[in-house]
Amino acid sequence: MAAAGLSLFFPGAGHALLRDWFRALVFAGLYFSAVWFFFPVEQMASASSFSGMMDVVNTETDTMSQFFIMFIALFAAIDATFRALGFPPESNDQTDGPSCPECGKGLDEDLEFCHWCTTRLEPVDPDAEDVDEAEREEPVHN
């Protein structure tokens, strides 16, 4: 939920929290571009206080421009929320190594926990895997 709140405050910040750098840059760039094109930036910069800047925004911009800026922030918050909850689920085909059984993201083999969702991982014993394979290969005699 922190990702959604950050994205409402500043689009792209929630994605940065989730380490989704490409989406963070896209939403931040879209937001700054929309502010530049739809808001009277020069008049806002010349305002002496924050309340003066908000007065300029309210008097000099139309409702559609304000709606467009709010839509970008809301869309960024919704997208960050879904990303934080794991939707859409990422396929395991993207990782070359092992993946977390809980969240499905790639693991760092040196750690004993998933650095994405903090799930504690059981250590893998390579000898146990060899025993399991040997048991499967032996024929059962009746």
Side-chain angles (χ1 to χ4, degrees), residues 1-8 13-14 17 80 84:
M1 295 325 248
L6 283 173
S7 288
L8 277 176
L17 179 69

Side-chain angles (χ1 to χ4, degrees), residues 123-138:
V124 177
D125 187 14
D127 296 333
E129 289 179 6
D130 293 339
V131 171
D132 290 341
E133 289 177 14
E135 289 176 0
R136 280 186 244 141
E137 292 176 3
E138 292 181 13

Side-chain angles (χ1 to χ4, degrees), residues 3 24 29 34 42 75 79 114 116 133 135 140:
E42 294 83 20
F75 186 68
D79 187 62
C114 174
W116 296 104
E133 289 177 14
E135 289 176 0
V140 178

Side-chain angles (χ1 to χ4, degrees), residues 42-93:
E42 294 83 20
Q43 293 175 355
M44 290 170 54
S46 66
S48 60
S49 65
F50 184 76
S51 63
M53 196 166 45
M54 290 294 103
D55 290 338
V56 169
V57 169
N58 286 331
T59 58
E60 298 296 324
T61 59
D62 60 341
T63 306
M64 281 306 287
S65 297
Q66 293 174 6
F67 172 76
F68 188 68
I69 298 294
M70 290 298 116
F71 177 77
I72 293 171
L74 182 63
F75 186 68
I78 291 170
D79 187 62
T81 302
F82 279 114
R83 289 282 177 178
L85 295 175
F87 296 106
E90 295 180 12
S91 67
N92 292 339
D93 298 337

